[in-house]
Amino acid sequence: MKRVRGLQCRECGREYPADPIHVCEYCFGPLEVAYDYDAIARLVSRASIAAGPRTLWRYRHLLPIEAEQVVDTHAGFTPLIRAENLGRALGLRNLYVKNDTVNPTFSFKDRPVAMAATKAREFGFDTLACASTGNLAGAVAAAAAKACMRACIFIPADLEPSKIVGASIYGPTVVAVEGTYDDVNRLCSEIADQYAWAFANINMRPYYSEGSKTLAFEVAEQLGWRVPDRVVVPVASGSMFTKIWRGFNELAKVGLVDQARVRMTVAQAEGCAPIVEAFRRHTLSVEPVKPHTIAKSLAIGNPADGYYSLRIVKESGGQAEAATDAEVVEGMRLLARTEGIFAETAGGVTVAVLQKLVEAGKVDRDELVVAYITGNGLKTPEAVAGHLERPLTIPPSFKRFEEQIAAVGLKRQTGAPAATSVA
Ligand SMILES: *Cc1c(COP(=O)(O)O)cnc(C)c1O
Ligand SMILES: [Zn+2]
């Protein structure tokens, strides 16, 4: 019995074989992998998953991979942290942080790319490519290196320097396009029509996007096979957001959890918030915007999965909210100072949006909330560098140390409960 039935159009439902294609020939709707969930239910159990590798491949029966040999960069199975300090700071009693900053290339993009690279090799492509807002570039370049494939990476020319270095080190061809991500994406769609390359987020997109389901699988397993009351997800195209929802629902379908009631919450940057703006207007139709935000990894002005994301927000009883650049910086600092996690700007978006929703009374203090922290702070140090205290510079002298420390004092940690502070 085959687990993967093929691809299916999300709009008209037409079925296609599992080929390197991504749009419906009849209605131009996006294609998605279709599974036989009865076949999957017979293959998986909580125990069989627990006995699997400590990577996202422990969920391989729920993923669109037929090959024995996968492209394995050891992505996934990242920590789910009980965030007591951040919870106290925000006024939440049951807050968890999914720390995806510790993936092989320091963002969650290693998850979808594991699928794209494995399928690309399965289909016989020799070149892996992508249109990237930054993090995809590093993930694709690293996976191509591991898979012994060529890589061609397209980025907006104004990308953060650390992200360019963090992709270039793996030896891909990097093409910096003078334009926004949406320009890069348009160009790549043209190139994908002419070149027999595997573009992770274009012709591989149906498979690529499935990798993000593992963000739901892991959270449920790490909570003892339970679905959280709410998740807060940083959103660019909406791909990860829609796949986290799909992941929780699939766990219920195959009997690994009892139910999948989870309030799906979109977090965007105010300078690029087309989905949040549609939510505020009470419509499902997303108006494209021109991005202007420090959260470059989320700077997609014309989100491919915007409409589907809004439908999920509605269906799940979720929320959509945006944070200003200043709030993003504060969110990054708060997460670092309370939980010891240095996240990139997208993490600041998640924390800041959660804070706003709690303050507005839109999140109950007892809800079990999971905040997805999807990228590492060392990728965007310039976002916070100007907002941090400078080191105390002293000569190597005990006396001078004592003078200086007496003058400024030691700081109390933001997340520390008041009762344990020492005078
Ligand atoms: C790409 C990215 C996202 C959002 O991705 P979409 O699936 O396009 O919505 C979130 N966080 C980080 C750090 C990213 O790199
Ligand atoms: Zn169709």
Side-chain angles (χ1 to χ4, degrees):
M1 196 66 148
K2 279 187 78 149
R3 292 179 297 112
V4 178
R5 290 198 348 248
L7 298 179
Q8 187 165 25
C9 176
R10 260 150 106 182
E11 289 303 319
C12 73
R14 255 196 190 78
E15 299 202 6
Y16 292 83
D19 287 340
I21 49 174
H22 65 115
V23 273
C24 177
E25 285 173 21
Y26 294 88
C27 76
F28 302 106
L31 302 182
E32 188 164 60
V33 178
Y35 297 92
D36 179 339
Y37 291 108
D38 294 330
I40 295 174
R42 280 194 291 275
L43 283 169
V44 296
S45 67
R46 293 177 180 183
S48 72
I49 289 170
R54 297 179 66 76
T55 67
L56 53 69
W57 295 114
R58 68 205 275 109
Y59 310 104
R60 71 177 291 155
H61 291 314
L62 290 141
L63 297 169
I65 302 299
E66 256 121 6
E68 262 317 304
Q69 283 285 15
V70 297
V71 178
D72 192 3
T73 57
H74 289 254
F77 215 60
T78 57
L80 180 73
I81 288 154
R82 180 78 205 254
E84 281 179 345
N85 296 337
L86 179 61
R88 199 178 300 111
L90 299 183
L92 289 171
R93 282 187 273 267
N94 261 312
L95 176 62
Y96 290 78
V97 163
K98 180 63 169 166
N99 183 10
D100 245 34
T101 69
V102 296
N103 269 307
T105 69
F106 315 105
S107 89
F108 90 96
K109 291 290 199 303
D110 291 313
R111 299 172 182 273
V113 167
M115 305 306 128
T118 298
K119 287 309 278 191
R121 215 168 52 175
E122 211 179 297
F123 289 133
F125 288 100
D126 62 4
T127 304
L128 208 54
C130 68
S132 175
T133 56
N135 288 320
L136 185 53
V140 163
K146 185 66 185 168
C148 304
M149 296 173 78
R150 291 184 306 191
C152 193
I153 308 294
F154 296 81
I155 54 170
D158 72 346
L159 197 61
E160 297 101 333
S162 301
K163 285 184 181 164
I164 299 176
V165 171
S168 304
I169 184 69
Y170 304 109
T173 300
V174 179
V175 182
V177 179
E178 292 159 334
T180 65
Y181 169 80
D182 298 284
D183 297 324
V184 176
N185 194 42
R186 233 180 348 260
L187 171 64
C188 285
S189 296
E190 270 180 61
I191 296 170
D193 281 342
Q194 303 293 326
Y195 285 62
W197 292 354
F199 274 85
N201 52 343
I202 301 175
N203 50 341
M204 296 292 114
R205 192 174 179 87
Y207 311 98
Y208 162 85
S209 57
E210 287 287 290
S212 295
K213 295 191 307 191
T214 59
L215 280 164
F217 300 158
E218 287 176 23
V219 160
E221 184 182 0
Q222 288 166 322
L223 289 173
W225 295 107
R226 160 168 191 203
V227 170
D229 299 323
R230 178 186 301 272
V231 296
V232 184
V233 181
V235 169
S237 72
S239 170
M240 170 180 47
F241 184 81
T242 60
K243 293 298 176 166
I244 288 175
W245 169 249
R246 189 178 204 206
F248 286 127
N249 281 280
E250 286 185 347
L251 290 181
K253 270 189 197 146
V254 301
L256 287 167
V257 298
D258 297 335
Q259 50 82 15
R261 273 191 298 279
V262 50
R263 292 190 186 88
M264 297 292 300
T265 304
V266 166
Q268 294 201 292
E270 201 65 72
C272 182
I275 298 173
V276 172
E277 281 161 22
F279 178 79
R280 287 172 181 158
R281 292 196 315 270
H282 304 286
T283 163
L284 295 180
S285 89
V286 176
E287 296 275 334
V289 300
K290 191 157 168 66
H292 189 74
T293 169
I294 57 167
K296 293 180 196 262
S297 55
L298 304 182
I300 297 184
N302 190 10
D305 288 303
Y307 163 78
Y308 298 105
S309 299
L310 284 161
R311 278 216 332 218
I312 290 167
V313 169
K314 226 174 144 186
E315 187 182 338
S316 71
Q319 290 288 338
E321 187 52 271
T324 64
D325 283 357
E327 289 167 340
V328 171
V329 169
E330 278 316 299
M332 292 169 75
R333 295 176 65 191
L334 182 62
L335 177 62
R337 288 166 180 219
T338 53
E339 297 298 333
I341 296 172
F342 184 17
E344 70 144 82
T345 46
V349 170
T350 300
V351 171
V353 160
L354 180 56
Q355 181 161 29
K356 287 175 98 156
L357 290 173
V358 174
E359 282 168 4
K362 290 176 179 162
V363 175
D364 192 90
R365 296 182 185 278
D366 291 316
E367 281 181 40
L368 197 166
V369 178
V370 173
Y372 281 98
I373 302 301
T374 49
N376 196 294
L378 290 173
K379 285 171 175 267
T380 61
E382 58 284 332
V384 286
H387 300 266
L388 305 177
E389 215 144 307
R390 302 255 285 276
L392 287 177
T393 304
I394 60 166
S397 142
F398 181 73
K399 185 161 165 290
R400 293 294 293 279
F401 167 72
E402 284 211 302
E403 283 167 15
Q404 288 280 322
I405 211 75
V408 297
L410 283 186
K411 297 205 176 37
R412 194 165 78 77
Q413 286 308 107
T414 318
T420 64
S421 73
V422 180

